[in-house]
Amino acid sequence: MSQVLVVVDIHDGHVTKPSLELLTLARRIGEPAAVVFGEAAGVAETLGKYGAARVLEANDPAIDEFLVGPKVDVLTQLVEAESPAAVLLPTGLDNKEVAGRLAVRLDSGLITEAVNIEEGAATVQSVFAGNWTVSAQVTRGVPVITTKPNTVAPEEAPAAGAVEQVSVSIADTSKGAKVVASEEKQASGRPELPEAAIVVSGGRGTGGNFEPVEALADALGAAVGASRAAVDSGWYPHAYQVGQTGKTVSPQLYIANGISGAIQHRAGMQTSKAIVVVNKDPEAPLFELADLGVVGDLHTVLPAVTEQVKAKKG
Amino acid sequence: MKILALVKHVPDATGDREFADDGTVDREGADGLLSELDEYAVEQSLQIRENSDDDVEIVALTVGPDDAADAIKKALQMGADAGIHINDEAIHGSDALATSKILAAAVQKAGADLVVCGMASTDGNMGVVPAMLAERLGWPAATFGHTVSLEGQSVTIKRDGDTAAQTVQANLPAVVSVTDQSGEARYPSMKGVIAAKKKPVDEWTLDDLGVDTAGIGLEGAATKVTDTTPRPPKQAGTIVTDEDGSGANALVEFLSTNKFI
Ligand SMILES: Cc1cc2nc3c(=O)[nH]c(=O)nc-3n(C[C@H](O)[C@H](O)[C@H](O)COP(=O)(O)OP(=O)(O)OC[C@H]3O[C@@H](n4cnc5c(N)ncnc54)[C@H](O)[C@@H]3O)c2cc1C
Ligand SMILES: Nc1ncnc2c1ncn2[C@@H]1O[C@H](COP(=O)(O)O)[C@@H](O)[C@H]1O
């Protein structure tokens, strides 16, 4: 069976959920070979459990010292050696660029932000702020595809997960953008925004007080999100922005509080399975997307909900 | 010192965006404008000039059909010195591979020390063209900057990376892209609007670029759209007006009915 190269992201020593999803999708095309940038020892077992027959470890200090370029060198060499049926990457700032540069090197078609991958590497994308669904196919070269989080539920499919060292030679021209400082983001202690099953978010309507939003999120075990208006006002960090220029989320439940529903915000949350909107203006456009809409003040509605949720959970 | 600001003309996101029969973005049926995210590229180019002791020339470059001239016009009104519009029937339907190829040829012909891009185009929203362009030019790319600074022959950006806040440095010539966190873009002044009318705009075809046309246009694309479907209209949900806690009660009931608690 043909190989499928799957770039997997490791965060805090764990394989990210979107990476496991990708291993599941990869099996529709061929046999997944996971590509790990950095140490693979701690994650090989998990990767094997989710279907990676091989774990290709590319460990070189240049990978962290320079943006993107070294990873492209590794993947180019792997594609040449393995002639895979496709190269798949979970979306992210760096992975998208890795994918773009790789596509140029290979003169191969590139598809970004797929929400599904089917047999033969056919893709489905959700575009124009989630208003259209597009099916597409790479017609030249080795398909290079990035996916959004929450494509499929990761399925276990025990495989060897055998670690192989990839000997990499990184060109000087791939060391052009040097990472001169790097400060790890503080963990919020809540689920990662793009992976969370429930997202509770706040906008300008919070008036800068995210306490009721955070309290409800914690009662539900949810992640916290924010509109750009809230981020621009300095009320919440940019890393939590949902929308076109922030994160895309597609949770089971999205609860939007004090958010009007601009197209750029919708772009990041429209594909959520269920949507609840709390807004004191009955004309707020986001009510159009709501499965349940509550016209009311978030500062009274949310604390009451939180209290009842806590009581029910005991 | 010469900066090329890359600007794209896109359908207005607040209007109805559609696909044409050939699976490409409908650019004729929709009102277009300079992609808002590319205004930040023009703004940062202008700020680099304002903070520099050297002579800095800023040229706005676009690849697109006739209407794309409006994107150049807006950039000139904001303060760019000149424009280059790559316009050729054969470009219609090009994918990111082809766009980056055309842009690379244009950058080489125009010459530049620094190319400043937006973080993503608001229609395709891929966010890959800056990196692909850099790959073709063999230049470094420092992307998704919320802060850009230039010192001598080196450009430094700060970015909100995937897992870390990073500072990235590259030597010129280089490609940078900037986010909507880089600072609001200015509105054209009256003076700017008048001055723009006299600024030179070059129109180039693929022939003028002397670019190998393999892979350019719909036929040459390395990806093929096989189907486009509008999202079915959302079924109207339940709307409750909160009175004496009825809103919270409805929300809690929704959570338990749907097994979220
Ligand atoms: C290129 C571009 C990219 C963008 N990217 C993004 C993006 O990624 N994400 C994003 O979110 N936006 C983005 N935007 C901005 C977007 O257009 C909107 O400006 C933004 O989403 C508005 O945020 P908001 O809904 O919180 O604020 P507003 O539109 O001001 O809405 C606030 C809402 O809160 C309600 N409210 C007020 N008080 C209360 C209360 N006490 N209780 C309940 N409700 C209350 C009001 O009725 C109102 O509906 C982008 C814009 C552009 C041009
Ligand atoms: N047709 C084009 N003409 C000029 N610049 C473009 C074009 N397409 C993309 N760009 C630049 O590349 C950036 C990212 O675009 P994209 O990868 O399409 O999301 C944009 O913000 C522009 O600066």
Side-chain angles (χ1 to χ4, degrees), chain A residues 37 41 71 99 109 131 212 233-234 245 250 255 266 280 303 312 314:
Chain A
F37 294 111
K71 293 182 180 174
N131 285 328
S233 305
T245 54
S250 190
I255 308 181
R266 291 179 184 212
K280 68 179 183 191
K312 285 204 179 222

Side-chain angles (χ1 to χ4, degrees), chain A residues 1 77 243:
Chain A
M1 206 178 357
Q77 288 161 36

Side-chain angles (χ1 to χ4, degrees), chain A residues 93 96-101 103-104 110 112, chain B residues 6-8 38 61-63 94-104 107 115-137 139-141 143-144 175-177:
Chain A
L93 292 192
K96 276 212 286 193
E97 296 197 346
V98 170
R101 283 179 179 262
V104 167
L110 167 69
T112 55
Chain B
L6 266 46
V7 296
K8 188 175 178 188
D38 293 346
L61 167 64
T62 195
V63 173
S94 288
D95 57 7
L97 273 178
T99 303
S100 63
K101 187 173 182 181
I102 299 165
L103 284 169
V107 170
V115 172
V116 184
C117 301
M119 64 182 284
S121 48
T122 56
D123 53 351
N125 208 21
M126 295 178 82
V128 293
V129 164
M132 293 171 90
L133 168 65
E135 179 69 33
R136 292 196 185 273
L137 292 167
W139 294 5
T143 46
F144 298 101
V175 176
V176 300
S177 75

